[in-house]
Amino acid sequence: MSSTESAPLRSSFTIRGSTTLITEFFDFSVNNILYQRGIYPMDDFKTVKKYGMNLLVTHDEDIKSYIRKFMKQVHVWLKAGKVSRFVLVIVNKNTGDVVEKWQFNINVNEEDQDASSLNQQHEISPEQIQSQIQAIIRQITSCVTFLPNLEVNEYTFNILVFTDVTTALPQNNEWVDSSDYKLNIEGEECVQLKSLKTNLHTVDTLVSYKTAN
Amino acid sequence: MSTSTIMDSPKSSSHRLVARQHTNPNILHQSSHSKTTYKYSSKYQNGKRNGSPQRSSTLSLASPTKLNVVRTDWSEAQRETGTLKPPAAPPLLRSNSTMGLSKTDRFIPSTYSSSNGKLIRDDNELQPPANASPSRHIEAQNKLIYQQTVADACGLQMNEKILQFRPRPPQSKASVISLNFKNSQYDFKKNSINPLRSRKINNTPERVLDAPDFNDDFYLNLISWSSANFLAIALGCDCYIWNASSGSVDLLHSFNEPITSVRWSDDSTHLSIGKESGKVEIWDIESCERVRTMDTQSGTRVGVQSWFDNLVATGCRSGEVFVNDVRVKQHMVNTLANHVGEVCGLEYRGDGLQLASGSNDNVVTIWDCRSSLPQFTKHTHTGAVKALAWSPDTLSLLATGGGSSDQKINFWNTTTGARLNTIDTGTQISSLHWGSSDCFGKEIVATGGYPNNAISVYSYEHQIKVAEIEHAHDARIISGQISPDGSILATVGGDENLKFHKIFNGNDDLNKMKSKRNTGLVSGKAMTSKIMTIR
């Protein structure tokens, strides 16, 4: 197939294209989660059209630049194939307890890497990817129905990235190794959402939450 | 093959790095070999060289001098076994060479160790030196397998680390405000089912006084309530002082021309009386004597005044506002000319830095008192602006109310000049006074005219009317004054009545004063709703 340079950015079968696609998907998912879970008030969000559906993204400059900042780094790591998991953790502001986590497990389809360049039948079309993303984001939205209610203004979020050990931390001090992060939720329940499959990556989405008792 | 997972990739990579340094093809081969057959080789070696004091082959393979030093410096195991002597360096003995190399060479910069200090420590614990007893090796190996199993069970991967994005998520700017607002909206909804129960004011006046000859002129300000609890009222050409604490009434003076405005000084020791001719008289209330007469030279009536310290600002029919210093002979220190209609509202801000003026030309002007220039000129109102009220707790919050053709209350931020809110009252607004209640917080009370002649209380936050006294007067209300404790509103209307309604609970600090005053009311002529004549 075409080289990375000449391929369109969104093409799901170059590393760059696939990574961009996944980063974008993370971005919208994070926005959607922040909105749906009420981490920020409704007024901070506006509707945009994306993936053939209406999505809510923040228009607050601070939140926007915050998300942009960590997404940029995640993108770099994704491109290098270092990320195995991207986690958004919802934390109680006062106690610091993890009450909910949204995991995106990233697997590189290694066999496909070679296959896709030879075999065009395995190619996943942009339409298919879009409908996959649509389905996941719809699922994220629908999760609100069974997830425990979060008190307004009581919760904040953290971003964790599971990388392989060789990953060097960026110089800007914005990332810390926190392998001892207490990710466990007491009495947690886990729901697996649909997967996103591009030609190079498979992203499994999971939400874990604290059960009522 | 299965054991290859136990080997961390950095180990092998750093090993290769070392190997490359020494450019020995043998080592390269060896490293890949040892990687895949780690379990076998180590066991084999352990079994074979049980208890042997020999050094690990690594050291001999690599540059002996360098690596040896490191080994003796750093390896705990070495110290334990007491093999601090230089290595015997038997050539090409394969064993756990990778481990020895990977953890010891301090000349290899810290890419490996700094990014992964933890694993190094584990290695030290887990991998005994080659010359340890086989049982120790087995134990170590088991421990490694156990760790791996536990990690797998926990969903963690050994060769993985978790990185956290450190900056804290930003606080929403909207959150504080809008959440408060949401909460209060919620309260409001809760309350709105029964607004009367939650915010009840007595429709019956606490007291009614007859005010015959009261000049029914919207543009005049003929009552003023002092901080010492005296109410001054001008009836025609006469000025009366009603002592709200005792209930007694005194005639201050009978003038030979109509009085157009009265106003107490801030310390309530002096009363300024504006007259039809444009003259302003200052009266001392203790001695009941005229202190001085100031002629504003405009020759037109003084419809409104406001005091700040020694300054009294007077608004004239000609549209000018004169600032007079009562202490100096040349009393006129400033002329503020921006209005073209009669000035009927004038109010100094609490700190005296700003002066708000409202006029019959429908304009509100906010003056900067230091420069005496209009800071903001607002043309929003479509009627004469008589009612002006500075918020007592927010310095730059001003409420202005328009006349019969406007009927709106506007709220301004006088620092930025922004209009914060507007309430359409449906009636002309003759006075505005701030107050507060438990259930709605900040409130503002407006006195109106046609059709209801009502006293209305609006919640500042919700912008709704929360309480109302309909037909408080039989004719339009001309002026309203709030008692010094902020609880009682005195209103005078075209029906020549002066009525006192309890609107707010008053300030906590002044509760005593209020109760004193209430007992004054009771012990005085006591009966509510009984009409009394001043003269």
Side-chain angles (χ1 to χ4, degrees):
Chain A
M1 265 309 287
S2 51
S3 73
T4 313
E5 274 67 35
S6 62
L9 198 69
R10 298 291 152 77
S11 143
S12 78
F13 39 139
T14 61
I15 289 200
R16 208 165 67 154
S18 182
T19 313
T20 309
L21 214 139
I22 286 168
T23 318
E24 204 174 62
F25 161 66
F26 283 169
D27 197 336
F28 281 105
S29 301
V30 166
N31 269 296
N32 195 28
I33 292 166
L34 293 182
Y35 173 79
Q36 297 296 349
R37 304 306 286 136
I39 305 300
Y40 291 107
M42 278 184 207
D43 311 354
D44 284 350
F45 293 86
K46 63 165 194 253
T47 318
V48 293
K49 268 233 185 289
K50 182 77 193 176
Y51 305 128
M53 59 200 290
N54 285 327
L55 286 173
L56 285 147
V57 295
T58 182
H59 58 80
D60 182 292
E61 277 308 321
D62 287 351
I63 309 171
K64 234 158 97 181
S65 70
Y66 182 80
I67 295 176
R68 206 181 297 131
K69 226 187 259 168
F70 68 72
M71 274 304 168
K72 221 167 155 187
Q73 185 57 54
V74 169
H75 182 75
V76 170
W77 281 329
L78 267 176
K79 211 151 69 176
K82 295 199 182 284
V83 184
S84 57
R85 198 178 297 182
F86 172 77
V87 187
L88 189 156
V89 197
I90 295 176
V91 182
N92 188 310
K93 265 185 196 169
N94 304 319
T95 62
D97 290 344
V98 176
V99 291
E100 202 172 297
K101 56 186 182 211
W102 295 82
Q103 302 181 43
F104 299 89
N105 297 344
I106 299 134
N107 295 307
V108 180
N109 312 340
E110 277 178 46
E111 301 90 76
D112 285 5
Q113 213 156 2
D114 307 321
S116 66
S117 52
L118 303 168
N119 192 350
Q120 290 204 14
Q121 275 133 5
H122 276 92
E123 181 188 327
I124 299 166
S125 70
E127 289 75 29
Q128 278 171 303
I129 287 169
Q130 174 163 317
S131 67
Q132 284 180 45
I133 294 179
Q134 252 185 32
I136 297 169
I137 289 182
R138 289 224 167 88
Q139 279 191 324
I140 291 173
T141 307
S142 69
C143 280
V144 178
T145 52
F146 61 82
L147 290 174
N149 192 30
L150 298 180
E151 284 292 316
V152 191
N153 218 9
E154 285 283 293
Y155 296 90
T156 183
F157 69 103
N158 283 333
I159 294 294
L160 301 177
V161 176
F162 287 52
T163 65
D164 68 34
V165 273
T166 55
T167 310
L169 293 170
Q171 292 300 307
N172 56 13
N173 257 343
E174 277 175 348
W175 294 82
V176 278
D177 192 336
S178 59
S179 297
D180 51 350
Y181 196 94
K182 286 192 187 60
L183 260 176
N184 289 342
I185 305 173
E186 228 172 284
E188 92 175 357
E189 247 168 45
C190 191
V191 174
Q192 166 118 35
L193 308 182
K194 288 184 176 164
S195 303
L196 167 65
K197 230 188 191 116
T198 71
N199 285 318
L200 294 181
H201 295 100
T202 307
V203 182
D204 295 318
T205 311
L206 288 141
V207 54
S208 319
Y209 56 95
K210 209 175 192 157
T211 46
N213 39 9
Chain B
M1 281 306 276
S2 66
T3 51
S4 66
T5 52
I6 298 170
M7 304 290 298
D8 288 339
S9 51
K11 274 184 214 159
S12 52
S13 66
S14 61
H15 172 79
R16 272 188 216 113
L17 200 67
V18 177
R20 231 173 274 127
Q21 266 192 340
H22 307 295
T23 59
N24 185 342
N26 261 343
I27 298 171
L28 277 173
H29 166 74
Q30 189 185 345
S31 73
S32 62
H33 172 74
S34 66
K35 184 183 175 187
T36 47
T37 60
Y38 162 69
K39 202 169 184 178
Y40 163 75
S41 63
S42 63
K43 273 194 174 171
Y44 171 75
Q45 292 286 343
N46 296 337
K48 210 177 178 184
R49 309 203 283 120
N50 174 19
S52 149
Q54 268 200 336
R55 301 303 325 280
S56 94
S57 62
T58 322
L59 302 166
S60 61
L61 281 173
S63 154
T65 48
K66 278 184 186 174
L67 287 176
N68 179 42
V69 176
V70 177
R71 188 81 179 183
T72 49
D73 274 359
W74 293 95
S75 170
E76 296 271 359
Q78 286 293 322
R79 247 173 260 149
E80 269 171 34
T81 49
T83 54
L84 289 172
K85 59 184 177 183
L92 289 173
L93 271 180
R94 287 178 197 160
S95 72
N96 48 358
S97 58
T98 48
M99 275 158 271
L101 266 176
S102 64
K103 67 182 176 187
T104 54
D105 194 343
R106 69 178 176 190
F107 296 100
I108 293 175
S110 53
T111 46
Y112 169 57
S113 55
S114 71
S115 70
N116 193 17
K118 207 169 197 173
L119 276 184
I120 284 181
R121 204 179 63 232
D122 287 349
D123 283 354
N124 283 338
E125 286 164 11
L126 284 173
Q127 273 131 34
N131 55 9
S133 72
S135 59
R136 267 188 75 191
H137 281 284
I138 291 166
E139 195 184 301
Q141 186 68 17
N142 284 344
K143 206 169 164 187
L144 210 67
I145 293 167
Y146 173 72
Q147 259 196 0
Q148 183 77 27
T149 323
V150 170
D152 281 349
C154 295
L156 296 167
Q157 280 181 23
M158 290 286 280
N159 57 351
E160 191 173 64
K161 63 178 175 182
I162 307 175
L163 302 181
Q164 188 184 354
F165 189 53
R166 189 150 56 178
R168 314 203 77 194
Q171 280 282 346
S172 168
K173 276 159 272 168
S175 69
V176 183
I177 306 152
S178 72
L179 281 173
N180 285 346
F181 188 59
K182 259 176 213 156
N183 286 344
S184 47
Q185 256 187 340
Y186 177 66
D187 288 347
F188 150 55
K189 270 177 199 151
K190 217 167 60 185
N191 289 327
S192 69
I193 304 160
N194 259 327
L196 278 178
R197 186 182 292 169
S198 54
R199 182 72 177 97
K200 203 180 232 174
I201 52 175
N202 197 349
N203 279 7
T204 340
E206 302 239 326
R207 167 171 280 209
V208 179
L209 300 177
D210 200 3
D213 234 2
F214 182 79
N215 195 348
D216 182 10
D217 189 331
F218 180 78
Y219 302 104
L220 305 183
N221 292 273
L222 297 174
I223 57 171
S224 181
W225 203 332
S226 81
S227 54
N229 219 6
F230 291 100
L231 184 98
I233 182 167
L235 303 175
C237 301
D238 305 335
C239 183
Y240 291 86
I241 309 291
W242 179 67
N243 185 339
S245 306
S246 66
S248 61
V249 179
D250 294 302
L251 173 66
L252 184 69
H253 189 70
S254 280
F255 296 91
N256 50 15
E257 58 177 323
I259 298 170
T260 52
S261 62
V262 292
R263 185 72 183 230
W264 289 100
S265 65
D266 294 338
D267 56 6
S268 107
T269 54
H270 293 85
L271 179 71
S272 65
I273 298 166
K275 297 190 293 186
E276 187 79 33
S277 62
K279 289 194 169 70
V280 176
E281 294 189 5
I282 311 289
W283 285 70
D284 186 323
I285 196 62
E286 288 285 314
S287 55
C288 288
E289 279 175 356
R290 177 174 20 224
V291 179
R292 73 178 293 179
T293 304
M294 301 186 296
D295 193 349
T296 54
Q297 308 286 341
S298 75
T300 54
R301 67 181 186 183
V302 178
V304 64
Q305 302 167 52
S306 180
W307 281 79
F308 175 72
D309 205 9
N310 298 311
L311 300 175
V312 55
T314 57
C316 299
R317 189 169 209 167
S318 56
E320 286 148 317
V321 176
F322 300 103
V323 182
N324 306 285
D325 191 328
V326 295
R327 297 167 301 181
V328 294
K329 188 156 186 265
Q330 290 297 324
H331 56 84
M332 223 148 72
V333 292
N334 248 321
T335 305
L336 311 176
N338 192 42
H339 293 292
V340 293
E342 174 168 17
V343 179
C344 51
L346 203 56
E347 208 69 50
Y348 268 109
R349 192 166 85 172
D351 61 359
L353 288 180
Q354 285 184 322
L355 173 71
S357 63
S359 155
N360 197 20
D361 59 6
N362 310 343
V363 173
V364 178
T365 307
I366 295 150
W367 303 86
D368 186 339
C369 295
R370 291 165 298 191
S371 65
S372 303
L373 292 171
Q375 202 170 349
F376 300 106
T377 305
K378 297 294 178 187
H379 298 270
T380 313
H381 286 289
T382 54
V385 184
K386 180 186 184 188
L388 300 168
W390 291 93
S391 166
D393 50 4
T394 312
L395 207 56
S396 59
L397 178 59
L398 173 73
T400 58
S404 53
S405 52
D406 180 50
Q407 312 186 335
K408 290 185 183 68
I409 305 173
N410 285 326
F411 297 95
W412 308 94
N413 180 332
T414 60
T415 308
T416 63
R419 182 159 55 94
L420 304 171
N421 252 315
T422 299
I423 301 173
D424 192 349
T425 62
T427 179
Q428 78 171 183
I429 300 154
S430 52
S431 79
L432 285 171
H433 293 281
W434 291 92
S436 66
S437 72
D438 294 338
C439 40
F440 288 101
K442 208 172 200 174
E443 293 175 340
I444 192 157
V445 57
T447 55
Y450 177 82
N452 278 336
N453 306 321
I455 297 170
S456 311
V457 182
Y458 295 87
S459 161
Y460 172 64
E461 203 171 342
H462 310 294
Q463 311 286 323
I464 54 154
K465 192 188 282 180
V466 293
E468 184 177 35
I469 303 169
E470 288 193 342
H471 306 291
H473 284 264
D474 297 332
R476 64 174 182 172
I477 300 170
I478 300 297
S479 283
Q481 282 285 302
I482 201 91
S483 64
D485 69 348
S487 66
I488 305 250
L489 183 72
T491 51
V492 61
D495 57 355
E496 301 192 340
N497 276 333
L498 178 60
K499 295 188 179 183
F500 297 86
H501 284 96
K502 186 160 166 42
I503 306 290
F504 300 114
N505 287 328
N507 313 333
D508 286 342
D509 297 344
L510 296 162
N511 269 346
K512 280 178 194 165
M513 198 173 160
K514 182 189 75 184
S515 60
K516 214 186 277 173
R517 205 184 54 77
N518 278 348
T519 52
L521 274 176
V522 172
S523 67
K525 281 151 200 169
M527 295 129 287
T528 54
S529 304
K530 186 185 169 189
I531 296 180
M532 284 170 286
T533 309
I534 286 182
R535 60 177 175 180

